[in-house]
Short mmCIF file of all heavy atoms in Angstrom, two decimals:
data_model
loop_
_atom_site.label_atom_id
_atom_site.label_comp_id
_atom_site.label_asym_id
_atom_site.label_seq_id
_atom_site.Cartn_x
_atom_site.Cartn_y
_atom_site.Cartn_z
N MET H 10 0.85 -1.19 0.01
CA MET H 10 -0.01 0.00 0.00
C MET H 10 0.89 1.26 0.00
O MET H 10 1.85 1.32 0.76
CB MET H 10 -0.87 0.04 1.26
CG MET H 10 -2.02 -0.95 1.26
SD MET H 10 -3.26 -0.59 0.03
CE MET H 10 -3.86 0.98 0.57
N PRO H 11 0.54 2.24 -0.82
CA PRO H 11 1.29 3.49 -0.77
C PRO H 11 0.91 4.30 0.48
O PRO H 11 -0.13 4.05 1.10
CB PRO H 11 0.83 4.21 -2.05
CG PRO H 11 -0.49 3.64 -2.35
CD PRO H 11 -0.46 2.21 -1.89
N LYS H 12 1.79 5.19 0.82
CA LYS H 12 1.53 6.05 1.97
C LYS H 12 0.40 7.02 1.65
O LYS H 12 0.26 7.46 0.51
CB LYS H 12 2.77 6.83 2.35
CG LYS H 12 3.89 6.00 2.90
CD LYS H 12 5.06 6.89 3.24
CE LYS H 12 6.19 6.07 3.79
NZ LYS H 12 7.37 6.92 4.08
N MET H 13 -0.37 7.38 2.67
CA MET H 13 -1.39 8.43 2.50
C MET H 13 -0.72 9.78 2.59
O MET H 13 0.23 9.98 3.35
CB MET H 13 -2.45 8.27 3.60
CG MET H 13 -3.21 6.98 3.53
SD MET H 13 -4.30 6.77 4.92
CE MET H 13 -5.50 8.03 4.62
N LYS H 14 -1.24 10.72 1.82
CA LYS H 14 -0.66 12.06 1.83
C LYS H 14 -1.45 12.97 2.76
O LYS H 14 -2.67 12.90 2.81
CB LYS H 14 -0.65 12.64 0.42
CG LYS H 14 0.33 11.93 -0.51
CD LYS H 14 0.84 12.90 -1.51
CE LYS H 14 1.96 12.25 -2.29
NZ LYS H 14 2.50 13.18 -3.28
N THR H 15 -0.72 13.84 3.45
CA THR H 15 -1.33 14.88 4.28
C THR H 15 -1.64 16.08 3.41
O THR H 15 -0.84 16.47 2.56
CB THR H 15 -0.35 15.30 5.40
OG1 THR H 15 -0.06 14.17 6.20
CG2 THR H 15 -0.95 16.40 6.25
N LYS H 16 -2.84 16.65 3.60
CA LYS H 16 -3.20 17.86 2.85
C LYS H 16 -2.32 19.01 3.34
O LYS H 16 -2.27 19.31 4.54
CB LYS H 16 -4.65 18.23 3.10
CG LYS H 16 -5.64 17.23 2.54
CD LYS H 16 -5.95 17.53 1.11
CE LYS H 16 -7.07 16.68 0.61
NZ LYS H 16 -7.32 16.85 -0.79
N SER H 17 -1.63 19.66 2.42
CA SER H 17 -0.71 20.74 2.81
C SER H 17 -1.46 21.91 3.43
O SER H 17 -0.95 22.58 4.32
CB SER H 17 0.08 21.21 1.59
OG SER H 17 0.94 20.18 1.14
N ALA H 18 -2.66 22.18 2.94
CA ALA H 18 -3.43 23.29 3.50
C ALA H 18 -3.83 23.01 4.94
O ALA H 18 -3.86 23.92 5.77
CB ALA H 18 -4.68 23.53 2.66
N ALA H 19 -4.10 21.75 5.26
CA ALA H 19 -4.51 21.40 6.62
C ALA H 19 -3.34 21.49 7.59
O ALA H 19 -3.51 21.95 8.71
CB ALA H 19 -5.09 19.98 6.63
N LYS H 20 -2.16 21.08 7.17
CA LYS H 20 -1.04 21.11 8.12
C LYS H 20 -0.59 22.53 8.40
O LYS H 20 0.04 22.78 9.43
CB LYS H 20 0.12 20.25 7.61
CG LYS H 20 0.86 20.77 6.43
CD LYS H 20 1.93 19.77 6.01
CE LYS H 20 2.63 20.21 4.74
NZ LYS H 20 3.53 19.19 4.24
N LYS H 21 -0.92 23.49 7.51
CA LYS H 21 -0.59 24.87 7.77
C LYS H 21 -1.59 25.53 8.73
O LYS H 21 -1.26 26.48 9.42
CB LYS H 21 -0.61 25.67 6.46
CG LYS H 21 0.48 25.29 5.50
CD LYS H 21 0.26 25.97 4.16
CE LYS H 21 1.21 25.42 3.13
NZ LYS H 21 0.92 25.92 1.79
N ARG H 22 -2.81 25.02 8.76
CA ARG H 22 -3.90 25.72 9.47
C ARG H 22 -4.32 25.07 10.78
O ARG H 22 -4.91 25.74 11.61
CB ARG H 22 -5.11 25.80 8.55
CG ARG H 22 -4.94 26.75 7.41
CD ARG H 22 -6.06 26.62 6.41
NE ARG H 22 -5.99 27.67 5.39
CZ ARG H 22 -5.20 27.61 4.32
NH1 ARG H 22 -4.43 26.55 4.14
NH2 ARG H 22 -5.17 28.58 3.46
N PHE H 23 -4.04 23.80 10.97
CA PHE H 23 -4.54 23.10 12.14
C PHE H 23 -3.41 22.42 12.91
O PHE H 23 -2.40 22.05 12.31
CB PHE H 23 -5.55 22.01 11.73
CG PHE H 23 -6.70 22.54 10.94
CD1 PHE H 23 -6.80 22.27 9.58
CD2 PHE H 23 -7.69 23.30 11.54
CE1 PHE H 23 -7.86 22.75 8.84
CE2 PHE H 23 -8.74 23.79 10.79
CZ PHE H 23 -8.84 23.52 9.46
N SER H 24 -3.59 22.30 14.22
CA SER H 24 -2.66 21.55 15.04
C SER H 24 -3.48 20.76 16.05
O SER H 24 -4.65 21.03 16.26
CB SER H 24 -1.67 22.47 15.72
OG SER H 24 -2.33 23.36 16.58
N PHE H 25 -2.83 19.78 16.68
CA PHE H 25 -3.51 18.89 17.60
C PHE H 25 -3.10 19.16 19.04
O PHE H 25 -1.95 19.50 19.30
CB PHE H 25 -3.21 17.43 17.25
CG PHE H 25 -3.89 16.97 15.99
CD1 PHE H 25 -3.33 17.16 14.76
CD2 PHE H 25 -5.12 16.32 16.07
CE1 PHE H 25 -3.95 16.73 13.62
CE2 PHE H 25 -5.77 15.90 14.93
CZ PHE H 25 -5.19 16.10 13.71
N THR H 26 -4.03 18.99 19.96
CA THR H 26 -3.72 19.09 21.37
C THR H 26 -3.19 17.73 21.83
O THR H 26 -3.19 16.76 21.09
CB THR H 26 -4.97 19.46 22.18
OG1 THR H 26 -5.93 18.40 22.04
CG2 THR H 26 -5.57 20.76 21.70
N ALA H 27 -2.75 17.68 23.08
CA ALA H 27 -2.22 16.43 23.62
C ALA H 27 -3.30 15.35 23.74
O ALA H 27 -3.00 14.17 23.64
CB ALA H 27 -1.57 16.69 24.98
N SER H 28 -4.55 15.77 23.91
CA SER H 28 -5.62 14.79 24.04
C SER H 28 -6.23 14.42 22.69
O SER H 28 -7.16 13.63 22.65
CB SER H 28 -6.72 15.35 24.95
OG SER H 28 -7.27 16.52 24.40
N GLY H 29 -5.71 14.99 21.59
CA GLY H 29 -6.18 14.61 20.26
C GLY H 29 -7.22 15.51 19.65
O GLY H 29 -7.70 15.22 18.56
N ARG H 30 -7.59 16.59 20.33
CA ARG H 30 -8.52 17.53 19.73
C ARG H 30 -7.79 18.38 18.71
O ARG H 30 -6.55 18.43 18.69
CB ARG H 30 -9.14 18.43 20.82
CG ARG H 30 -9.88 17.74 21.92
CD ARG H 30 -11.07 16.93 21.47
NE ARG H 30 -12.04 17.69 20.72
CZ ARG H 30 -13.08 18.29 21.26
NH1 ARG H 30 -13.30 18.25 22.56
NH2 ARG H 30 -13.95 18.94 20.49
N VAL H 31 -8.54 19.12 17.89
CA VAL H 31 -7.95 19.92 16.81
C VAL H 31 -8.06 21.39 17.15
O VAL H 31 -9.15 21.88 17.46
CB VAL H 31 -8.65 19.63 15.46
CG1 VAL H 31 -8.03 20.45 14.35
CG2 VAL H 31 -8.56 18.16 15.12
N LYS H 32 -6.94 22.09 17.10
CA LYS H 32 -6.91 23.52 17.33
C LYS H 32 -6.89 24.27 16.01
O LYS H 32 -6.22 23.82 15.06
CB LYS H 32 -5.66 23.94 18.11
CG LYS H 32 -5.67 23.57 19.57
CD LYS H 32 -4.60 24.30 20.34
CE LYS H 32 -3.21 24.08 19.77
NZ LYS H 32 -2.16 24.70 20.58
N ALA H 33 -7.57 25.40 15.94
CA ALA H 33 -7.58 26.23 14.73
C ALA H 33 -7.68 27.68 15.14
O ALA H 33 -8.15 28.01 16.22
CB ALA H 33 -8.77 25.86 13.85
N GLY H 34 -7.24 28.55 14.25
CA GLY H 34 -7.37 29.97 14.49
C GLY H 34 -8.82 30.39 14.33
O GLY H 34 -9.57 29.79 13.57
N VAL H 35 -9.20 31.43 15.05
CA VAL H 35 -10.59 31.92 14.99
C VAL H 35 -10.80 32.67 13.68
O VAL H 35 -9.95 33.45 13.25
CB VAL H 35 -10.88 32.82 16.20
CG1 VAL H 35 -12.30 33.30 16.19
CG2 VAL H 35 -10.59 32.07 17.49
N ALA H 36 -11.93 32.42 13.03
CA ALA H 36 -12.22 33.04 11.75
C ALA H 36 -12.73 34.47 11.93
O ALA H 36 -13.24 34.83 12.99
CB ALA H 36 -13.26 32.22 11.01
N GLY H 37 -12.61 35.27 10.88
CA GLY H 37 -13.22 36.59 10.86
C GLY H 37 -12.35 37.71 11.37
O GLY H 37 -12.86 38.76 11.73
N LYS H 38 -11.02 37.54 11.39
CA LYS H 38 -10.15 38.58 11.92
C LYS H 38 -9.12 39.08 10.90
O LYS H 38 -8.13 39.68 11.26
CB LYS H 38 -9.38 38.04 13.13
CG LYS H 38 -10.23 37.75 14.34
CD LYS H 38 -10.30 38.88 15.35
CE LYS H 38 -8.99 39.51 15.63
NZ LYS H 38 -8.75 39.90 16.98
N ARG H 39 -9.34 38.83 9.62
CA ARG H 39 -8.35 39.23 8.63
C ARG H 39 -8.51 40.68 8.20
O ARG H 39 -7.53 41.39 8.01
CB ARG H 39 -8.44 38.33 7.40
CG ARG H 39 -8.02 36.91 7.65
CD ARG H 39 -6.57 36.83 8.00
NE ARG H 39 -6.16 35.45 8.21
CZ ARG H 39 -4.99 35.09 8.64
NH1 ARG H 39 -4.10 36.00 8.96
NH2 ARG H 39 -4.68 33.83 8.82
N HIS H 40 -9.71 41.10 8.00
CA HIS H 40 -9.96 42.48 7.54
C HIS H 40 -11.37 42.87 7.95
O HIS H 40 -12.16 42.04 8.39
CB HIS H 40 -9.78 42.61 6.03
CG HIS H 40 -10.61 41.68 5.23
ND1 HIS H 40 -11.94 41.88 4.98
CD2 HIS H 40 -10.33 40.48 4.69
CE1 HIS H 40 -12.43 40.88 4.27
NE2 HIS H 40 -11.46 40.00 4.09
N GLY H 41 -11.70 44.17 7.80
CA GLY H 41 -13.04 44.63 8.13
C GLY H 41 -13.31 44.75 9.59
O GLY H 41 -14.43 44.49 10.05
N MET H 42 -12.30 45.14 10.38
CA MET H 42 -12.48 45.23 11.83
C MET H 42 -13.37 46.40 12.23
O MET H 42 -13.91 46.39 13.33
CB MET H 42 -11.12 45.40 12.53
CG MET H 42 -10.22 44.19 12.48
SD MET H 42 -10.93 42.76 13.26
CE MET H 42 -11.28 41.77 11.85
N ILE H 43 -13.56 47.38 11.36
CA ILE H 43 -14.40 48.52 11.72
C ILE H 43 -15.85 48.09 11.90
O ILE H 43 -16.54 48.53 12.82
CB ILE H 43 -14.27 49.62 10.64
CG1 ILE H 43 -12.88 50.23 10.70
CG2 ILE H 43 -15.33 50.67 10.80
CD1 ILE H 43 -12.59 51.25 9.65
N LYS H 44 -16.32 47.18 11.04
CA LYS H 44 -17.72 46.76 11.15
C LYS H 44 -17.94 45.73 12.24
O LYS H 44 -19.08 45.46 12.58
CB LYS H 44 -18.20 46.21 9.81
CG LYS H 44 -17.52 44.95 9.35
CD LYS H 44 -18.05 44.49 8.02
CE LYS H 44 -17.38 45.22 6.90
NZ LYS H 44 -17.66 44.65 5.58
N ARG H 45 -16.89 45.12 12.79
CA ARG H 45 -17.03 44.16 13.87
C ARG H 45 -17.15 44.89 15.21
O ARG H 45 -16.62 45.99 15.38
CB ARG H 45 -15.80 43.24 13.94
CG ARG H 45 -15.36 42.69 12.64
CD ARG H 45 -15.79 41.26 12.46
NE ARG H 45 -15.08 40.61 11.37
CZ ARG H 45 -15.50 40.59 10.12
NH1 ARG H 45 -16.62 41.19 9.79
NH2 ARG H 45 -14.81 39.97 9.19
N THR H 46 -17.82 44.27 16.13
CA THR H 46 -17.94 44.89 17.45
C THR H 46 -16.64 44.69 18.22
O THR H 46 -15.86 43.77 17.94
CB THR H 46 -19.10 44.28 18.25
OG1 THR H 46 -18.84 42.90 18.44
CG2 THR H 46 -20.40 44.45 17.51
N THR H 47 -16.42 45.54 19.20
CA THR H 47 -15.23 45.42 20.03
C THR H 47 -15.24 44.11 20.80
O THR H 47 -14.21 43.48 21.00
CB THR H 47 -15.17 46.61 21.02
OG1 THR H 47 -15.30 47.82 20.28
CG2 THR H 47 -13.85 46.62 21.75
N LYS H 48 -16.42 43.69 21.22
CA LYS H 48 -16.55 42.43 21.93
C LYS H 48 -16.12 41.25 21.06
O LYS H 48 -15.44 40.33 21.51
CB LYS H 48 -18.00 42.25 22.40
CG LYS H 48 -18.26 40.99 23.17
CD LYS H 48 -19.73 40.91 23.56
CE LYS H 48 -20.01 39.62 24.27
NZ LYS H 48 -21.44 39.53 24.64
N PHE H 49 -16.52 41.28 19.79
CA PHE H 49 -16.15 40.19 18.89
C PHE H 49 -14.64 40.12 18.68
O PHE H 49 -14.04 39.05 18.76
CB PHE H 49 -16.85 40.37 17.54
CG PHE H 49 -16.41 39.37 16.51
CD1 PHE H 49 -16.98 38.12 16.44
CD2 PHE H 49 -15.39 39.69 15.61
CE1 PHE H 49 -16.57 37.21 15.51
CE2 PHE H 49 -14.97 38.78 14.66
CZ PHE H 49 -15.57 37.54 14.62
N THR H 50 -14.02 41.25 18.42
CA THR H 50 -12.59 41.24 18.16
C THR H 50 -11.80 40.84 19.39
O THR H 50 -10.76 40.19 19.30
CB THR H 50 -12.11 42.62 17.68
OG1 THR H 50 -12.49 43.63 18.62
CG2 THR H 50 -12.70 42.94 16.34
N ARG H 51 -12.30 41.18 20.55
CA ARG H 51 -11.63 40.80 21.80
C ARG H 51 -11.76 39.30 22.07
O ARG H 51 -10.82 38.64 22.47
CB ARG H 51 -12.20 41.61 22.97
CG ARG H 51 -11.45 41.44 24.28
CD ARG H 51 -12.04 42.32 25.35
NE ARG H 51 -13.41 41.96 25.67
CZ ARG H 51 -14.48 42.72 25.39
NH1 ARG H 51 -14.33 43.90 24.81
NH2 ARG H 51 -15.68 42.32 25.72
N GLN H 52 -12.96 38.74 21.83
CA GLN H 52 -13.20 37.34 22.13
C GLN H 52 -12.61 36.40 21.09
O GLN H 52 -12.44 35.22 21.37
CB GLN H 52 -14.70 37.08 22.28
CG GLN H 52 -15.29 37.67 23.53
CD GLN H 52 -16.79 37.40 23.65
OE1 GLN H 52 -17.42 37.02 22.68
NE2 GLN H 52 -17.30 37.62 24.83
N SER H 53 -12.31 36.88 19.91
CA SER H 53 -11.82 36.00 18.87
C SER H 53 -10.31 36.06 18.70
O SER H 53 -9.79 35.88 17.62
CB SER H 53 -12.51 36.32 17.54
OG SER H 53 -12.26 37.67 17.19
N THR H 54 -9.59 36.31 19.79
CA THR H 54 -8.14 36.23 19.75
C THR H 54 -7.70 34.81 20.03
O THR H 54 -8.44 34.01 20.62
CB THR H 54 -7.52 37.17 20.81
OG1 THR H 54 -8.00 36.80 22.09
CG2 THR H 54 -7.84 38.60 20.53
N GLY H 55 -6.50 34.47 19.61
CA GLY H 55 -5.94 33.16 19.90
C GLY H 55 -6.53 32.05 19.05
O GLY H 55 -6.89 32.25 17.89
N THR H 56 -6.62 30.86 19.65
CA THR H 56 -7.11 29.70 18.91
C THR H 56 -8.35 29.15 19.57
O THR H 56 -8.70 29.54 20.68
CB THR H 56 -6.02 28.59 18.90
OG1 THR H 56 -5.69 28.25 20.25
CG2 THR H 56 -4.79 29.05 18.16
N MET H 57 -9.01 28.20 18.87
CA MET H 57 -10.20 27.58 19.39
C MET H 57 -10.15 26.08 19.09
O MET H 57 -9.39 25.64 18.23
CB MET H 57 -11.46 28.17 18.79
CG MET H 57 -11.56 28.03 17.29
SD MET H 57 -13.02 28.78 16.63
CE MET H 57 -13.72 27.42 15.74
N ILE H 58 -10.93 25.30 19.81
CA ILE H 58 -11.05 23.87 19.58
C ILE H 58 -12.21 23.65 18.62
O ILE H 58 -13.30 24.20 18.82
CB ILE H 58 -11.29 23.12 20.91
CG1 ILE H 58 -10.18 23.42 21.91
CG2 ILE H 58 -11.41 21.63 20.67
CD1 ILE H 58 -8.84 22.93 21.53
N LEU H 59 -11.99 22.86 17.58
CA LEU H 59 -13.04 22.60 16.61
C LEU H 59 -14.13 21.71 17.17
O LEU H 59 -13.90 20.93 18.09
CB LEU H 59 -12.45 21.94 15.35
CG LEU H 59 -11.53 22.80 14.49
CD1 LEU H 59 -11.17 22.02 13.23
CD2 LEU H 59 -12.19 24.09 14.11
N SER H 60 -15.32 21.80 16.57
CA SER H 60 -16.41 20.93 16.97
C SER H 60 -16.14 19.51 16.46
O SER H 60 -15.26 19.28 15.64
CB SER H 60 -17.73 21.45 16.39
OG SER H 60 -17.68 21.40 14.98
N ASP H 61 -16.93 18.56 16.95
CA ASP H 61 -16.70 17.16 16.62
C ASP H 61 -16.85 16.87 15.13
O ASP H 61 -16.07 16.10 14.55
CB ASP H 61 -17.63 16.26 17.41
CG ASP H 61 -17.35 16.30 18.90
OD1 ASP H 61 -16.18 16.58 19.25
OD2 ASP H 61 -18.26 16.06 19.69
N SER H 62 -17.84 17.48 14.49
CA SER H 62 -18.06 17.23 13.07
C SER H 62 -16.94 17.80 12.23
O SER H 62 -16.48 17.15 11.25
CB SER H 62 -19.41 17.82 12.64
OG SER H 62 -19.44 19.19 12.92
N ASP H 63 -16.46 18.99 12.56
CA ASP H 63 -15.33 19.57 11.82
C ASP H 63 -14.03 18.82 12.12
O ASP H 63 -13.17 18.68 11.25
CB ASP H 63 -15.16 21.04 12.18
CG ASP H 63 -16.31 21.89 11.70
OD1 ASP H 63 -16.96 21.51 10.70
OD2 ASP H 63 -16.57 22.94 12.32
N GLU H 64 -13.91 18.34 13.35
CA GLU H 64 -12.71 17.62 13.75
C GLU H 64 -12.53 16.33 12.94
O GLU H 64 -11.41 15.97 12.56
CB GLU H 64 -12.82 17.30 15.23
CG GLU H 64 -11.65 16.61 15.86
CD GLU H 64 -11.86 16.39 17.33
OE1 GLU H 64 -12.17 17.36 18.02
OE2 GLU H 64 -11.73 15.24 17.78
N SER H 65 -13.63 15.63 12.66
CA SER H 65 -13.53 14.39 11.91
C SER H 65 -13.06 14.65 10.47
O SER H 65 -12.34 13.83 9.90
CB SER H 65 -14.87 13.67 11.91
OG SER H 65 -15.86 14.44 11.24
N ILE H 66 -13.44 15.77 9.90
CA ILE H 66 -13.01 16.13 8.55
C ILE H 66 -11.50 16.42 8.53
O ILE H 66 -10.77 15.93 7.67
CB ILE H 66 -13.80 17.34 8.03
CG1 ILE H 66 -15.27 17.00 7.90
CG2 ILE H 66 -13.25 17.82 6.70
CD1 ILE H 66 -16.16 18.20 7.69
N VAL H 67 -11.04 17.18 9.52
CA VAL H 67 -9.62 17.54 9.55
C VAL H 67 -8.75 16.30 9.81
O VAL H 67 -7.67 16.18 9.23
CB VAL H 67 -9.38 18.61 10.65
CG1 VAL H 67 -7.92 18.88 10.85
CG2 VAL H 67 -10.09 19.90 10.26
N LYS H 68 -9.22 15.38 10.62
CA LYS H 68 -8.44 14.19 10.90
C LYS H 68 -8.29 13.29 9.67
O LYS H 68 -7.30 12.56 9.56
CB LYS H 68 -9.07 13.41 12.06
CG LYS H 68 -8.80 14.08 13.40
CD LYS H 68 -9.32 13.27 14.55
CE LYS H 68 -8.96 13.92 15.86
NZ LYS H 68 -9.44 13.17 17.00
N LYS H 69 -9.23 13.34 8.74
CA LYS H 69 -9.07 12.62 7.48
C LYS H 69 -7.98 13.27 6.63
O LYS H 69 -7.30 12.58 5.87
CB LYS H 69 -10.39 12.61 6.71
CG LYS H 69 -11.43 11.69 7.33
CD LYS H 69 -12.72 11.77 6.55
CE LYS H 69 -13.82 11.02 7.29
NZ LYS H 69 -15.13 11.25 6.65
N TYR H 70 -7.85 14.59 6.71
CA TYR H 70 -6.84 15.28 5.93
C TYR H 70 -5.43 15.06 6.49
O TYR H 70 -4.46 15.18 5.76
CB TYR H 70 -7.11 16.79 5.93
CG TYR H 70 -8.31 17.22 5.15
CD1 TYR H 70 -8.94 18.44 5.42
CD2 TYR H 70 -8.84 16.45 4.13
CE1 TYR H 70 -10.03 18.84 4.72
CE2 TYR H 70 -9.96 16.84 3.42
CZ TYR H 70 -10.54 18.03 3.72
OH TYR H 70 -11.63 18.45 3.01
N MET H 71 -5.33 14.76 7.78
CA MET H 71 -4.04 14.62 8.44
C MET H 71 -3.94 13.23 9.07
O MET H 71 -4.12 13.09 10.29
CB MET H 71 -3.85 15.71 9.49
CG MET H 71 -3.98 17.10 8.93
SD MET H 71 -3.97 18.39 10.15
CE MET H 71 -2.27 18.49 10.57
N PRO H 72 -3.67 12.18 8.31
CA PRO H 72 -3.76 10.84 8.85
C PRO H 72 -2.65 10.46 9.83
O PRO H 72 -2.84 9.54 10.62
CB PRO H 72 -3.67 9.96 7.58
CG PRO H 72 -2.99 10.81 6.58
CD PRO H 72 -3.37 12.21 6.88
N TYR H 73 -1.51 11.15 9.80
CA TYR H 73 -0.38 10.74 10.64
C TYR H 73 -0.16 11.63 11.84
O TYR H 73 0.80 11.40 12.58
CB TYR H 73 0.90 10.69 9.79
CG TYR H 73 0.81 9.68 8.69
CD1 TYR H 73 0.73 10.09 7.37
CD2 TYR H 73 0.78 8.33 8.97
CE1 TYR H 73 0.62 9.15 6.34
CE2 TYR H 73 0.68 7.38 7.97
CZ TYR H 73 0.60 7.81 6.66
OH TYR H 73 0.50 6.90 5.66
N ASN H 74 -0.97 12.60 12.09
CA ASN H 74 -0.75 13.55 13.17
C ASN H 74 -1.62 13.27 14.38
O ASN H 74 -2.23 14.17 14.93
CB ASN H 74 -1.00 14.99 12.68
CG ASN H 74 0.05 15.44 11.73
OD1 ASN H 74 0.86 14.65 11.31
ND2 ASN H 74 0.05 16.70 11.37
N ARG H 75 -1.72 12.01 14.76
CA ARG H 75 -2.58 11.69 15.92
C ARG H 75 -1.78 11.02 17.00
O ARG H 75 -0.88 10.31 16.80
CB ARG H 75 -3.71 10.79 15.51
CG ARG H 75 -4.73 11.53 14.70
CD ARG H 75 -5.93 10.70 14.43
NE ARG H 75 -6.26 10.83 13.04
CZ ARG H 75 -7.15 10.08 12.43
NH1 ARG H 75 -7.76 9.14 13.06
NH2 ARG H 75 -7.41 10.27 11.18
#
């Protein structure tokens, strides 16, 4: 069997925690900060843990990072 390939886009955007959950950057902070509320920009700093349905998709893209 040939080796499975990791999606290059996924390895740039996602990382795994020690317990196997998937970390990702919070969306919506690239541009257009004037129209966003101050509360939104403050709360969307750092990273977040993906939901279970999104996590299963990312784990298919990254077969060796578990």
